[in-house]
Amino acid sequence: MALLIHFVSSGQMVSERFRAQIDPTKYPVIKFEWSLPGNIQVIMNEGLTNIDVEKYDQAVINFTQVLKEKPDFWPALYYRGVAYRIAGDHEKAKADFIACVLKENALVAGHYLLAETYYQLHALSEAEATYRKVIKMESSHALALYGLANVNLARYDFSDAERYYEKSTAVDPAFAQGYIMQGVLKIRSNGKKNTAALQLLDRGLAIDSLISEGLFWRGMIYLDRRDYVRCLRDWNNLVRAHPNDPYYLIFRSFLHIELKDFDRAFNDIKKAVLMHKLDVNAYKASETALDKQIELQNAAAYVARFSYGLNEHALISFKKGFCYFVAGNSAQSNYFLKLAENTEPSATIFYMRAVNYDHSSKHDSAHIYYDKALALDNEIIDAHKKRAIYRYQLGDWKGAYADLDQMLRLEPSMHVTYRIRGYIRAHQKDYVEAINDLTTFLKVDSVDADAWKTRGYCRGEINDVAGKLADYRQSLRLNPSDEPILNELAEQYAATSDTTNLISFHNEFKDTYSNSPAFKYLLIDYFINAKSWKRASLEVEKNRLLESEEGKDDTNRKRVFSILARYNGLIELGQQHYDQAVKNFTLALTIYEFNHEARFLRGKTYLAMGDRKQAIEDFQFLTGVYYPEAAAMLKEARKRPKK
């Protein structure tokens, strides 16, 4: 319970959670003159009625018809913006509110809803400016002051947020939401035992008893004080007011667990988990937080269907075990699930024990219990999925494929099956079939970077180099932090003679990897390797010009110009212009004395020129700093005859 309290009390939780609490169904009703022809007036009235009865799409159609006949009729723009906003299309709502206030600049309600829409789009600067405009037009506009406070809260500027919440209640002493948010910020700064916070929440809820933030946070104060009766009363009201919000159900379930009321906790958890549907095809089989949520969802769905088939005593223990599992208490969960198993062994209990072991990383025990569950009920698709992964990890390919076949039998549209099977086939070096499976998966989930990478690897193994590069490139677009793929792509493109594709690749990612030397100088390396000396020189000059003259003497910039001088030396060396090469390598070392690669290349150039003494000096210096190959080159230089 302490962990729960800490989690919901964090500053981020306050700002992000309450940013989402804006109710778009509330909007100012405006007065306007009905100066419309009869038939258009009827359509306008239908639009207003459709907003009232929550038919927002139809309302948009009505107001659009009015505007076709009367483009300057700003009330139709205002109410179409309202309909768009309630329906969640904030960009279109913004466009309508902007058009409305351009036609009727004195309309305070239009500016206010435009500010609210900016806020919901997280365009905080625009929201702030528009809220301030509303306040300038109407200094006692409590909602605009409240909106300005929300902007500051979203920026984590808690002191200014509190100041504007206080202003909102100063201009309107009956503005309940302002008191609530003042109380919330006092909780954040002073803790839940703060009497002032409780008084502010009480004052706000006395005005409006169903404000969700007030009920939730007052419940948290009661919870912290171990006043469970009052906490439960507030959270019961919260759930009644928001029956479709899984967030509130989960917190009430934790309270029920604390009160040992496992029947109610069990029901709340089931409702909450099943209410928040996750895409089962997003499963990555890599024990991510999302994977665990999907597994919990699948377990809850199975439990909801089959747990009530247990006998009374087994069900009592099972509910306790399930609740403790969701609360993160694996040991208590295992204890009660074991009691349930001893009372009545069943597929439901075996499956839940497997999931509990799985989530506490006891994989051997999890595997055993998935086996037990499937022996009694071969229709548990998630148990087949988990067992397929375990079998794959143990090298039991035949068993893994058998489970995947069962998954496809039970749910052919569960495309994550193809992803898992594609990985197994890739591991078995069955590259063609792996490509087929991953292609099927990627048709459904085209944003899975790892699937693109795995298919690219398989394509490379069957000598489909173009396919490999295309897949790796798509993987990199989706996951730019994958440096091994970046480096492999750079090497592969540099090794091909496809200059057009290389340049295209470089241009696509140059901004993303502007700080990566290997990527920044990819084209220079390529043209040097291709002995295209003019193009290599042009690329060196391009990079030199890109470096600003400002701050040229700092260490990092010295390093950059030293690298470019080294490249010029390489270009001259490649053309056997030894004197010029030495000059460039020496320049590189003058700019940045620790450019050991430039010193090594200068030593090699001296050796090519027959200047044994200078070569030995460079290689001898480099052996002192353990530069690779320096010792071997020093040995070779000493073997050379003196001039």
Side-chain angles (χ1 to χ4, degrees):
M1 189 61 73
L3 180 65
L4 166 65
I5 292 169
H6 171 75
F7 172 68
V8 296
S9 301
S10 69
Q12 182 177 356
M13 187 69 185
V14 173
S15 58
E16 290 302 315
R17 180 63 188 170
F18 291 117
R19 185 179 186 276
Q21 295 300 300
I22 287 180
D23 185 356
T25 63
K26 293 181 179 177
Y27 58 91
V29 175
I30 59 169
K31 294 180 179 179
F32 58 92
E33 292 184 14
W34 288 84
S35 55
L36 296 168
N39 61 322
I40 304 301
Q41 188 160 305
V42 169
I43 297 170
M44 182 69 189
N45 197 50
E46 282 178 3
L48 296 173
T49 302
N50 280 322
I51 288 179
D52 289 339
V53 298
E54 301 179 11
K55 293 182 178 178
Y56 306 117
D57 290 344
Q58 188 56 50
V60 166
I61 292 170
N62 294 142
F63 298 130
T64 302
Q65 286 177 302
V66 172
L67 288 165
K68 281 181 180 176
E69 297 293 328
K70 292 284 183 180
D72 292 327
F73 190 62
W74 57 265
L77 281 168
Y78 176 84
Y79 280 108
R80 189 172 69 176
V82 167
Y84 277 134
R85 181 168 175 262
I86 298 172
D89 195 338
H90 300 304
E91 286 292 347
K92 288 182 179 176
K94 179 183 77 173
D96 274 352
F97 291 135
I98 289 172
C100 175
V101 297
L102 283 172
K103 295 180 185 300
E104 187 64 22
N105 191 50
L107 184 66
V108 174
H111 290 289
Y112 167 68
L113 287 187
L114 176 58
E116 290 280 277
T117 306
Y118 278 135
Y119 175 71
Q120 287 181 289
L121 288 166
H122 209 65
L124 298 181
S125 296
E126 292 87 345
E128 179 183 14
T130 313
Y131 281 129
R132 289 192 185 283
K133 185 169 185 177
V134 173
I135 295 163
K136 192 173 181 181
M137 296 169 76
E138 188 179 306
S139 60
S140 61
H141 201 296
L143 286 168
L145 288 162
Y146 178 79
L148 202 51
N150 287 338
V151 168
N152 283 292
L153 186 59
R155 290 171 171 161
Y156 302 100
D157 185 346
F158 299 109
S159 60
D160 269 1
E162 188 167 20
R163 184 162 60 88
Y164 281 108
Y165 287 134
E166 287 171 354
K167 284 188 175 185
S168 72
T169 53
V171 299
D172 182 1
F175 184 48
Q177 195 80 26
Y179 295 115
I180 297 298
M181 291 308 296
Q182 288 174 56
V184 169
L185 289 184
K186 288 201 181 298
I187 289 171
R188 183 194 172 277
S189 59
N190 301 318
K192 290 168 289 302
K193 291 185 171 65
N194 187 293
T195 303
L198 185 58
Q199 289 172 344
L200 286 161
L201 294 174
D202 283 343
R203 188 168 181 181
L205 289 167
I207 297 167
D208 184 343
S209 63
L210 292 179
I211 296 177
S212 58
E213 300 96 319
L215 290 168
F216 176 77
W217 285 103
R218 189 170 70 178
M220 286 303 302
I221 290 177
Y222 290 142
L223 180 65
D224 192 60
R225 296 179 176 188
R226 300 296 186 260
D227 188 344
Y228 298 135
V229 173
R230 288 184 179 178
C231 177
L232 184 59
R233 181 190 63 198
D234 275 350
W235 285 4
N236 282 340
N237 287 333
L238 189 60
V239 172
R240 286 190 198 102
H242 303 276
N244 297 319
D245 192 329
Y247 175 88
Y248 297 133
L249 281 167
I250 282 291
F251 277 97
R252 190 176 69 173
S253 75
F254 275 70
L255 178 58
H256 285 315
I257 293 170
E258 188 76 6
L259 295 170
K260 311 298 182 190
D261 189 345
F262 294 100
D263 282 336
R264 287 191 171 89
F266 183 72
N267 289 333
D268 277 352
I269 291 167
K270 279 194 310 174
K271 285 179 188 174
V273 173
L274 297 176
M275 201 178 282
H276 184 57
K277 289 289 184 184
L278 296 166
D279 180 6
V280 294
N281 288 308
Y283 189 81
K284 303 299 181 191
S286 53
E287 297 191 17
T288 62
L290 179 60
D291 280 357
K292 290 183 181 295
Q293 289 176 45
I294 291 170
E295 289 166 7
L296 172 58
Q297 174 183 278
N298 294 337
Y302 186 81
V303 163
R305 288 175 61 200
F306 297 108
S307 60
Y308 288 100
L310 299 171
N311 69 47
E312 182 182 351
H313 295 295
L315 182 59
I316 290 170
S317 295
F318 179 82
K319 285 180 177 179
K320 291 177 181 179
F322 181 79
C323 290
Y324 279 122
F325 165 72
V326 174
N329 191 332
S330 177
Q332 281 288 83
S333 174
N334 191 51
Y335 173 78
F336 284 109
L337 290 173
K338 188 174 181 180
L339 282 182
E341 179 186 345
N342 291 339
T343 306
E344 182 188 0
S346 76
T348 308
I349 295 169
F350 290 148
Y351 175 44
M352 201 61 234
R353 290 204 71 183
V355 174
N356 185 42
Y357 279 130
D358 212 336
H359 282 222
S360 52
S361 298
K362 296 177 180 176
H363 299 301
D364 290 342
S365 298
H367 192 172
I368 290 166
Y369 272 91
Y370 282 127
D371 280 344
K372 287 186 174 187
L374 289 167
L376 295 181
D377 182 359
N378 197 41
E379 308 291 295
I380 312 175
I381 191 167
D382 207 56
H384 279 297
K385 178 178 71 182
K386 293 297 297 185
R387 192 170 70 175
I389 294 165
Y390 282 132
R391 285 174 161 177
Y392 154 62
Q393 291 168 343
L394 292 169
D396 178 7
W397 314 114
K398 185 177 179 181
Y401 285 134
D403 276 322
L404 292 166
D405 287 343
Q406 289 297 320
M407 288 173 68
L408 289 171
R409 173 184 67 82
L410 292 166
E411 187 53 74
S413 65
M414 193 172 177
H415 290 90
V416 71
T417 309
Y418 294 101
R419 183 184 191 271
I420 297 169
R421 192 168 70 181
Y423 283 9
I424 294 173
R425 284 175 164 166
H427 191 85
Q428 283 191 284
K429 300 183 180 180
D430 186 359
Y431 299 121
V432 173
E433 289 304 319
I435 290 167
N436 289 338
D437 276 339
L438 292 168
T439 300
T440 301
F441 172 75
L442 287 166
K443 285 177 182 175
V444 176
D445 185 353
S446 61
V447 295
D448 189 315
D450 199 57
W452 284 104
K453 180 166 71 173
T454 305
R455 192 179 74 169
Y457 170 78
C458 293
R459 285 179 156 177
E461 292 301 302
I462 61 169
N463 296 318
D464 178 6
V465 177
K468 173 184 177 177
L469 292 175
D471 280 358
Y472 274 11
R473 199 157 157 179
Q474 180 61 17
S475 177
L476 192 62
R477 288 187 190 107
L478 295 167
N479 182 19
S481 64
D482 192 340
E483 286 195 22
I485 285 293
L486 169 68
N487 294 334
E488 182 155 358
L489 273 169
E491 287 175 19
Q492 289 281 338
Y493 276 119
T496 69
S497 57
D498 190 348
T499 309
T500 303
N501 251 328
L502 172 68
I503 293 171
S504 165
F505 167 68
H506 182 268
N507 289 340
E508 181 177 356
F509 293 101
K510 66 182 179 184
D511 291 334
T512 307
Y513 300 107
S514 59
N515 294 322
S516 165
F519 191 78
K520 188 187 286 188
Y521 308 124
L522 172 64
L523 293 182
I524 302 175
D525 286 325
Y526 174 76
F527 289 124
I528 287 175
N529 290 335
K531 298 183 180 180
S532 180
W533 311 118
K534 284 186 179 179
R535 295 197 70 173
S537 294
L538 283 171
E539 287 300 325
V540 171
E541 185 61 17
K542 271 188 202 174
N543 275 272
R544 193 184 68 77
L545 292 172
L546 284 172
E547 297 296 333
S548 151
E549 291 297 315
E550 186 181 347
K552 187 169 68 174
D553 294 329
D554 74 315
T555 302
N556 189 51
R557 201 159 296 280
K558 282 181 180 180
R559 206 178 277 126
V560 169
F561 282 104
S562 178
I563 289 169
L564 295 175
R566 174 177 62 76
Y567 272 122
N568 278 329
L570 263 175
I571 292 165
E572 298 297 345
L573 178 60
Q575 299 172 86
Q576 298 182 2
H577 300 158
Y578 298 129
D579 288 340
Q580 283 301 114
V582 166
K583 283 181 182 178
N584 279 293
F585 293 137
T586 303
L587 175 61
L589 287 163
T590 304
I591 297 170
Y592 185 68
E593 62 180 313
F594 301 110
N595 190 338
H596 298 320
E597 193 170 354
R599 192 179 298 275
F600 181 75
L601 290 166
R602 189 176 70 175
K604 289 182 76 172
T605 309
Y606 280 136
L607 209 55
M609 295 167 70
D611 191 340
R612 176 178 176 272
K613 181 183 175 184
Q614 294 286 355
I616 287 172
E617 280 186 19
D618 277 342
F619 294 137
Q620 207 159 25
F621 176 89
L622 291 169
T623 56
V625 295
Y626 305 103
Y627 186 84
E629 298 182 53
M633 290 304 296
L634 178 61
K635 189 175 180 181
E636 183 180 333
R638 283 174 171 161
K639 286 180 182 176
R640 297 285 178 96
K642 293 181 181 179
K643 280 187 177 180

